[in-house]
Amino acid sequence: QVQLVESGGGLVQAGASLRLSCAASGRTSSSYALGWFRQAPGKEREFVAGISAIGGITAYADSAKGRFTISRDNTKNTLGLQMNSLKPEDTAVYYCAASRRYNFFVMKYRAEYDYWGQGTQVTVSS
């Protein structure tokens, strides 16, 4: 069992940067694949970025490539998402998630994740 708590959301203008953090407690997060998802009003929750349990392999949604960077610190049990050049369409609630799948692959689908945080709101004004 692992508990996830996100932080770092807020209201920013287009072009600004934000860094989201996710603190994991309980079983060490190094045993899990981790990921960020987001959900905008009226839309499905979508994959943003993920990192594998083994090897730190990363993957991004097309909308995040070149602007967002996912990182993990297994010594601190934290997951980060650096978001640069933010756009109004990035406005959403951002969720941290953990998957028990211990392998070299990045989990990209909601069903592959076992634990979720409560979310943090990111609002980008134009």
Side-chain angles (χ1 to χ4, degrees):
Q1 187 82 10
V2 62
Q3 293 78 43
L4 305 169
V5 179
E6 303 94 337
S7 61
L11 171 63
V12 297
Q13 291 188 331
S17 297
L18 272 178
R19 180 175 176 79
L20 304 183
S21 293
C22 176
S25 60
R27 187 175 176 182
T28 176
S29 65
S30 62
S31 301
Y32 296 85
L34 301 172
W36 288 98
F37 285 71
R38 67 186 184 187
Q39 187 167 15
K43 295 188 176 181
E44 295 287 320
R45 191 173 300 187
E46 63 177 6
F47 172 79
V48 175
I51 188 165
S52 64
I54 303 174
I57 297 166
T58 60
Y60 298 88
D62 288 343
S63 59
K65 286 179 183 176
R67 300 188 300 128
F68 294 3
T69 303
I70 188 171
S71 61
R72 67 189 298 167
D73 185 337
N74 290 338
T75 63
K76 297 180 179 179
N77 272 354
T78 58
L79 176 70
L81 184 68
Q82 178 66 40
M83 304 187 295
N84 298 327
S85 302
L86 283 162
K87 305 175 181 179
E89 50 264 44
D90 293 319
T91 295
V93 177
Y94 283 71
Y95 297 90
C96 168
S99 169
R100 290 193 297 258
R101 290 163 174 80
Y102 188 69
N103 53 41
F104 290 92
F105 301 104
V106 176
M107 303 298 116
K108 298 182 180 180
Y109 302 98
R110 288 183 61 180
E112 296 175 314
Y113 286 86
D114 303 290
Y115 306 103
W116 295 84
Q118 83 291 347
T120 185
Q121 177 71 46
V122 172
T123 304
V124 184
S125 63
S126 57

